[in-house]
Amino acid sequence: MKSYQKLTTAVPQPAACRVEEEGAAPTPAGRGKLAPWWVGSGLLVAAVLLSTVTVWVLRQVSGGWPRPALPPKCLLVTESHRFDCYPERHVVVTQELCESRGCCFIESPPPAGGKRGVPWCFYPPDFPSYTLESLNQTALGMVGLLVRREKAYYPQDIEMLRLDVEFETDTRLHIKITDAANPRYEVPLEVPRAMKRAENPIYSLDFSRDPFGVLLRRRATGTVLLNTTVAPLIFADQFLQIATSLPSRFLYGLGEHRGTFLHSLDWSTLTLWARDVSPTESFNLYGAHPFYLLMEEGGDAHGVFLLNSNAMEVALQPAPGLTWRTIGGVLDFYIFLGPDPNMVIQQYQQVIGFPAMPPLWALGFHLCRWGYGSSNETWQTVRAMRNYQIPQDAQWNDIDYMDGYRDFTVDPQKFASLPSLVEDLHKHRQRYVMILDPGISSTNPHGSYWPFDEGLRRGLFLNTTQGQPLIGQVWPGFTAFADFSNPDTHQWWLENLQRFHAHVPFDGLWIDMNEPSNFMDGSEDGCPPGELDSPPYTPAVLGDSLAAKTVCASAKQKASVHYNLHNLYGLMEAKATASALIQIRGKRPFVISRSTFPSQGRYSGHWLGDNRSQWKDMYYSIPGLLSFSLFGIPLVGADICGFSGSTSEELCTRWMQLGAFYPFARNHNTQNEKAQDPTVFSPAARTAMKDVLLTRYSLLPFLYTLFHRAHLQGDTVARPLFFEFPRDVATLGLDRQFLWGRSLLVTPVLEPGVDSVTGYVPRGVWYDFYTGSSVNSSGEMLKMSAPLEHLNLHVREGAILPTQKPGTTSEVTRGNPLRLIVALSSSATAWGDLFWDDGESLDTFERGSYSYLVFNVTQNIFTSTVLHTSTEATEVTIGTLSIFGVREPPSKVLLNGQEKPFSYLDNQVLTVSDLGLSLSQGFSLRWL
């Protein structure tokens, strides 16, 4: 075992950072230092393990002499703490291969189902790593030098690393490890710069010197949040790896993947490399989000963000432990200390940026399909929706509106009436959104297709290593790919959109295929040999190649090579698209993107991709939208009723009920399948769909206020239950229900053929949203009636929800009277708020063009306080107050001292109607 070595020069150790040394005194509260490389392997465990493993290994030998005895150091490492030394896929790891890397080899029974299990080849406790040679104080933290004296097994090992530590805030720590001698690619993301060192951090930081390791603790509890001494640090040019123990198994995030919200730590690997593929378990999907949230025992939470855009994988194991592996860039970590999960996500967004405030119409119902076939057929669907008075804010078109699937064109026969359709939508206060792809058709005669000709002239496409436009294949056939890392491309994109908008005045944009997707692997000529397209290590990407269904990693872009920028492609396109929309329309942009990366919420929302019309897909949409809530992209939803395959009336009805509570609600369908918009179903199903959309529209003031809080401070909109009940361990695995904000519980039906649903109701009083009847829960699973026409919604005690009489569009709705729903707590108090503006202008909060009201109930007095007001508030009235949980029938109700008529029901609901109060004026209402 290596020992910790003293530095040659004395370094003063601040309270927030100590360097652990051999024989050092125990840390506070009797917590001794963590042993390097493994945690808690006592002598008894080692003895049992030694005998058990030795017997098992000897039993595997069939004939001949037994293999040489394993080194004792290998037998000390328990199975769950074996960190993989040979993670390469599609290689049968032999003892010889393993030991050539200096690692331990113990065969384990393979797990069922072809999954990866306990690694056969793992690091011994004394595997060579880096040594912390020096550590010096800086104004914001410290800087250190890490030295590796023995090369690891990947080429171009970097022998000297620079360690930068910044105590940025009391709840945020920044640790960066990079090449000490040479610059390396770093993600071009704007991040805040700390101006002074945190004064009272709620964390303490220790270092192991030899081998180098980081040990991060939460001061209040002593919980070890990071311990990177569990496996060696490896930092080669194209293989960077760092591992840590985890304080619990409750880990979330690390997108984009399909699966349960709570990750399994049973030897699972999550790959981050943007890929066009229908959402499937275990595949790397459209976006890359190297951020995780972890719930600690006792209800505290922390988050870790690796600011790195290269291909990577995150290996999880039951120790519990986690290994980051990436094949480029630097190790640039931000750690967020919370301590509650809501605060962790706010702190994360303080680094990546808060999401944009969407226009109000973005929160209405959207309808789309691939395969309308014509603008007239699209128009007929819109008219049918109006005929049944089903709410709809936006009509969309997929690629079939284009001429030959070419961007910025319209099919002159089938979609000739598209400008008239858009004009009609605008007359009815509705919006139009269409799709765009980043692949630009490259085969048109010169002079016939301006987008390609002009992009080529200005040099705005991804190039091959030979400096020629890389040609792949997408919907229009052979295509070049716009290079959105080039600012000049943003101007070209704007000019194309301006030209198109003059013909078809669209309101929002849907950017698809931006991983970028390619029907070929690499290009029409494949990819050249070399370390970018064939790196020494390829993470576990679908297709086993970085070029699988995308462009070559060696492709040249303005900012860097595609190898570094691939995961940023969708973000860069979203940034260009949002900017163009602002310049064209002068209003808040609406963009929905398939590929995403941290900070994308500033520019776009996201839909969860090409799902299927299956019950399991409906369920998986909930973990999907909750994950994107963690990633700072609150405007998220799945294709309601499913994209591919054929839906059923029951599935679509249940999915419309769930989808009405996606923050972004769009029903979308593929071509050659039967229509699935609400108008095509039976009267009963159509009515159920209409009713739940009306419920959504009634809640738009509440939802809009939640988005304001997301924009202002990084609150989540769709929220996991454990965010509000972090100390209730029963909530940590829940992903079949969710909350809007802190107070509206959504419990959808996710199975066929049932008329009830079982859901968890956290401790406290909850009220039926529709009736106001109360449920007093001790924190338990409750069976709820759920006939096909009913979605269970419950309001949490102590909340006040601003609602509105619903109309068929958000614009019609916003002119209707408000109804305030008060859900009294057991102590007869409640609180709520409302943000109100014109619904579409830029920067209304920043410019002061808004109204903000706070509602409060205490001692039987409801108070509305106007903290800020604008002219829009004078146009709206508060019509009704419904108060749930009034235990005794009132004798009278006073509004600003004047008696008002009221109704009181046996289920303890007090209603006061016909208030006629201007939103811009405060008031009080008292019941006696």
Side-chain angles (χ1 to χ4, degrees):
M1 173 59 65
K2 292 194 171 190
S3 61
Y4 300 125
Q5 299 171 355
K6 280 192 175 183
L7 296 179
T8 53
T9 56
V11 178
Q13 300 299 320
C17 171
R18 298 182 300 279
V19 177
E20 296 276 2
E21 299 185 22
E22 197 71 73
T27 49
R31 297 183 303 277
K33 71 179 183 195
L34 294 178
W37 306 116
W38 75 90
V39 181
S41 296
L43 289 176
L44 180 59
V45 173
V48 172
L49 199 69
L50 177 62
S51 59
T52 304
V53 174
T54 303
V55 168
W56 191 89
V57 171
L58 289 173
R59 281 180 178 173
Q60 304 312 303
V61 180
S62 55
W65 294 96
R67 293 177 181 174
L70 286 161
K73 65 184 181 182
C74 295
L75 299 173
L76 287 172
V77 185
T78 60
E79 282 194 352
S80 66
H81 288 75
R82 292 178 186 170
F83 286 83
D84 199 346
C85 178
Y86 218 110
E88 281 81 355
R89 303 272 165 153
H90 311 299
V91 176
V92 177
V93 182
T94 64
Q95 185 165 356
E96 291 71 27
L97 283 174
C98 178
E99 291 177 352
S100 71
R101 292 187 170 183
C103 290
C104 298
F105 183 84
I106 299 178
E107 291 184 42
S108 302
K115 296 182 179 179
R116 289 173 76 88
V118 180
W120 292 8
C121 184
F122 57 94
Y123 296 106
D126 59 352
F127 191 93
S129 186
Y130 287 86
T131 301
L132 178 59
E133 287 288 322
S134 65
L135 192 65
N136 295 295
Q137 300 297 308
T138 65
L140 297 176
M142 58 198 70
V143 60
L145 179 67
L146 308 180
V147 176
R148 175 181 275 281
R149 293 192 171 81
E150 294 183 49
K151 283 190 172 293
Y153 45 84
Y154 284 106
Q156 301 183 65
D157 229 2
I158 297 172
E159 296 179 10
M160 289 194 299
L161 302 177
R162 176 185 169 109
L163 169 71
D164 285 286
V165 178
E166 294 186 354
F167 302 99
E168 294 194 342
T169 73
D170 289 344
T171 56
R172 185 174 83 225
L173 176 65
H174 188 188
I175 300 175
K176 185 174 176 180
I177 302 172
T178 190
D179 189 332
N182 300 295
R184 292 178 61 81
Y185 164 77
E186 297 187 26
V187 181
L189 185 70
E190 295 176 16
V191 293
R193 296 292 173 204
M195 304 308 294
K196 64 174 185 176
R197 182 181 183 135
E199 295 179 357
N200 298 294
I202 65 172
Y203 49 86
S204 64
L205 183 64
D206 304 333
F207 293 108
S208 161
R209 298 190 181 209
D210 187 9
F212 167 73
V214 173
L215 295 100
L216 179 68
R217 293 180 175 91
R218 183 179 298 282
R219 282 187 177 278
T221 60
T223 302
V224 176
L225 309 182
L226 296 178
N227 169 20
T228 70
T229 67
V230 294
L233 167 65
I234 297 178
F235 201 122
D237 183 43
Q238 290 182 273
F239 186 88
L240 292 71
Q241 177 176 280
I242 190 167
T244 181
S245 63
L246 299 171
S248 87
R249 62 180 181 85
F250 297 106
L251 181 86
Y252 313 84
L254 298 172
E256 182 177 4
H257 298 93
R258 164 177 284 205
T260 56
F261 185 45
L262 173 64
H263 286 302
S264 166
L265 302 191
D266 189 20
W267 304 107
S268 59
T269 298
L270 303 169
T271 307
L272 282 65
W273 183 248
R275 168 65 193 250
D276 172 7
V277 62
S278 295
T280 305
E281 297 88 321
S282 81
F283 287 0
N284 49 297
L285 301 183
Y286 311 106
H289 292 273
F291 167 82
Y292 71 76
L293 171 76
L294 189 137
M295 292 298 296
E296 304 156 32
E297 289 185 17
D300 288 338
H302 71 274
V304 176
F305 172 41
L306 172 55
L307 179 50
N308 181 295
S309 62
N310 289 90
M312 75 169 74
E313 62 190 18
V314 185
L316 307 175
Q317 63 192 77
L322 176 151
T323 301
W324 299 93
R325 294 187 198 106
T326 182
I327 60 172
V330 302
L331 296 176
D332 191 0
F333 288 101
Y334 288 85
I335 302 98
F336 311 98
L337 275 291
D340 86 31
N342 295 284
M343 296 170 71
V344 171
I345 302 307
Q346 290 174 345
Q347 292 155 13
Y348 176 41
Q349 291 174 92
Q350 287 167 7
V351 170
I352 64 171
F354 296 125
M357 183 69 187
L360 178 63
W361 65 266
L363 307 184
F365 178 60
H366 301 249
L367 190 55
C368 185
R369 79 163 300 170
W370 180 20
Y372 281 121
S374 70
S375 48
N376 286 340
E377 189 178 333
T378 310
W379 209 337
Q380 287 171 10
T381 302
V382 172
R383 289 186 180 118
M385 291 285 286
R386 291 178 192 155
N387 183 52
Y388 289 114
Q389 296 184 298
I390 300 172
Q392 181 188 359
D393 259 83
Q395 180 61 51
W396 296 38
N397 276 125
D398 207 319
I399 56 174
D400 44 343
Y401 80 87
M402 300 177 185
D403 185 10
Y405 298 141
R406 293 187 296 271
D407 277 356
F408 312 113
T409 67
V410 173
D411 185 313
Q413 277 79 43
K414 295 178 180 177
F415 281 81
S417 63
L418 184 57
S420 299
L421 165 59
V422 174
E423 181 182 5
D424 179 68
L425 288 167
H426 290 164
K427 282 180 181 176
H428 287 83
R429 296 193 269 186
Q430 294 172 303
R431 305 313 200 276
Y432 180 70
V433 179
M434 87 281 183
I435 195 170
L436 281 178
D437 294 336
I440 303 298
S441 176
S442 62
T443 56
N444 308 277
H446 181 71
S448 67
Y449 186 51
W450 192 87
F452 178 75
D453 292 341
E454 192 64 15
L456 186 65
R457 187 183 73 80
R458 300 187 199 179
L460 304 180
F461 297 122
L462 271 65
N463 284 336
T464 66
T465 55
Q466 304 303 310
Q468 298 299 313
L470 182 147
I471 302 300
Q473 186 176 5
V474 201
W475 295 114
F478 290 111
T479 56
F481 297 86
D483 177 10
F484 290 102
S485 77
N486 185 344
D488 294 340
T489 305
H490 293 216
Q491 177 62 29
W492 163 85
W493 193 244
L494 167 65
E495 291 170 22
N496 277 290
L497 287 167
Q498 286 173 326
R499 291 158 65 105
F500 191 80
H501 191 268
H503 179 52
V504 180
F506 55 84
D507 301 286
L509 289 168
W510 169 24
I511 51 176
D512 190 16
M513 307 290 286
N514 54 354
E515 292 74 31
S517 177
N518 185 359
F519 297 165
M520 299 174 161
D521 290 350
S523 77
E524 61 177 345
D525 300 316
C527 296
E531 59 191 14
L532 295 179
D533 293 299
S534 302
Y537 181 82
T538 300
V541 297
L542 178 63
D544 303 317
S545 164
L546 297 183
K549 296 297 177 280
T550 188
V551 300
C552 298
S554 58
K556 294 181 177 180
Q557 297 188 235
K558 178 77 171 180
S560 186
V561 289
H562 193 72
Y563 182 90
N564 294 325
L565 300 178
H566 174 83
N567 282 339
L568 299 174
Y569 194 91
L571 168 64
M572 290 177 168
E573 186 191 14
K575 191 172 182 179
T577 306
S579 173
L581 276 169
I582 290 170
Q583 293 178 72
I584 291 168
R585 299 181 69 249
K587 298 175 182 178
R588 281 177 230 162
F590 172 75
V591 182
I592 294 294
S593 175
R594 191 167 72 179
S595 190
T596 58
F597 190 79
S599 80
Q600 189 126 357
R602 297 170 60 187
Y603 312 107
S604 85
H606 172 63
W607 97 103
L608 296 171
D610 295 339
N611 62 3
R612 303 166 187 85
S613 297
Q614 297 176 5
W615 289 90
K616 74 168 186 175
D617 286 63
M618 177 166 62
Y619 153 67
Y620 276 128
S621 71
I622 301 177
L625 71 94
L626 294 179
S627 292
F628 275 86
S629 290
L630 306 188
F631 301 150
I633 305 177
L635 189 63
V636 61
D639 284 346
I640 298 170
C641 301
F643 173 69
S644 67
S646 191
T647 193
S648 68
E649 180 163 291
E650 182 189 12
L651 173 61
C652 199
T653 303
R654 293 302 194 189
W655 209 328
M656 283 289 293
Q657 290 168 343
L658 167 60
F661 286 84
Y662 293 157
F664 165 59
R666 181 186 71 162
N667 180 316
H668 180 43
N669 191 6
T670 191
Q671 62 179 353
N672 302 322
E673 295 289 352
K674 62 185 182 183
Q676 62 186 35
D677 65 83
T679 69
V680 303
F681 293 102
S682 71
R686 185 174 65 238
T687 300
M689 295 178 186
K690 176 181 176 179
D691 286 348
V692 78
L693 288 177
L694 288 169
T695 300
R696 177 191 179 88
Y697 274 66
S698 75
L699 283 158
L700 283 179
F702 176 57
L703 181 61
Y704 194 64
T705 300
L706 292 177
F707 268 95
H708 167 67
R709 298 176 73 85
H711 170 63
L712 188 64
Q713 62 191 37
D715 284 8
T716 53
V717 176
R719 190 171 300 178
L721 272 71
F722 72 78
F723 270 47
E724 291 300 319
F725 304 92
R727 284 167 177 74
D728 182 351
V729 294
T731 65
L732 295 178
L734 296 180
D735 59 9
R736 301 174 71 86
Q737 300 166 271
F738 57 95
L739 294 159
W740 265 12
R742 63 181 304 274
S743 52
L744 185 65
L745 177 62
V746 183
T747 307
V749 171
L750 302 174
E751 297 171 343
V754 298
D755 60 5
S756 65
V757 61
T758 300
Y760 187 75
V761 180
R763 176 182 292 275
V765 178
W766 295 81
Y767 298 92
D768 184 293
F769 172 79
Y770 309 99
T771 67
S773 297
S774 63
V775 175
N776 197 339
S777 174
S778 60
E780 56 198 307
M781 299 295 292
L782 294 178
K783 185 176 181 180
M784 310 171 197
S785 176
L788 188 60
E789 69 277 6
H790 185 69
L791 171 70
N792 277 277
L793 297 173
H794 290 88
V795 185
R796 184 180 179 184
E797 64 171 304
I800 299 176
L801 305 188
T803 71
Q804 206 158 16
K805 180 183 177 183
T808 52
T809 68
S810 61
E811 210 168 311
V812 171
T813 300
R814 64 177 277 113
N816 291 339
L818 287 159
R819 174 191 176 213
L820 305 179
I821 297 176
V822 180
L824 292 179
S825 70
S826 52
S827 56
T829 60
W831 185 92
D833 62 345
L834 172 65
F835 177 82
W836 192 270
D837 62 11
D838 69 8
E840 63 179 7
S841 293
L842 293 162
D843 303 323
T844 55
F845 178 78
E846 291 77 4
R847 292 186 291 106
S849 300
Y850 68 94
S851 296
Y852 182 68
L853 291 79
V854 168
F855 311 118
N856 193 62
V857 173
T858 184
Q859 296 179 335
N860 291 6
I861 300 174
F862 175 99
T863 306
S864 173
T865 305
V866 181
L867 297 183
H868 194 279
T869 190
S870 63
T871 54
E872 285 79 19
T874 62
E875 302 163 6
V876 184
T877 60
I878 297 174
T880 305
L881 204 58
S882 295
I883 306 170
F884 300 167
V886 178
R887 294 174 186 168
E888 300 294 332
S891 58
K892 60 181 173 179
V893 170
L894 302 176
L895 173 64
N896 294 331
Q898 301 296 312
E899 197 164 338
K900 289 284 291 183
F902 65 91
S903 67
Y904 181 81
L905 302 177
D906 291 342
N907 64 349
Q908 301 184 341
V909 174
L910 168 65
T911 302
V912 187
S913 304
D914 302 319
L915 294 174
L917 297 164
S918 171
L919 190 63
S920 61
Q921 296 180 332
F923 69 91
S924 66
L925 185 141
R926 184 179 184 187
W927 60 97
L928 305 171

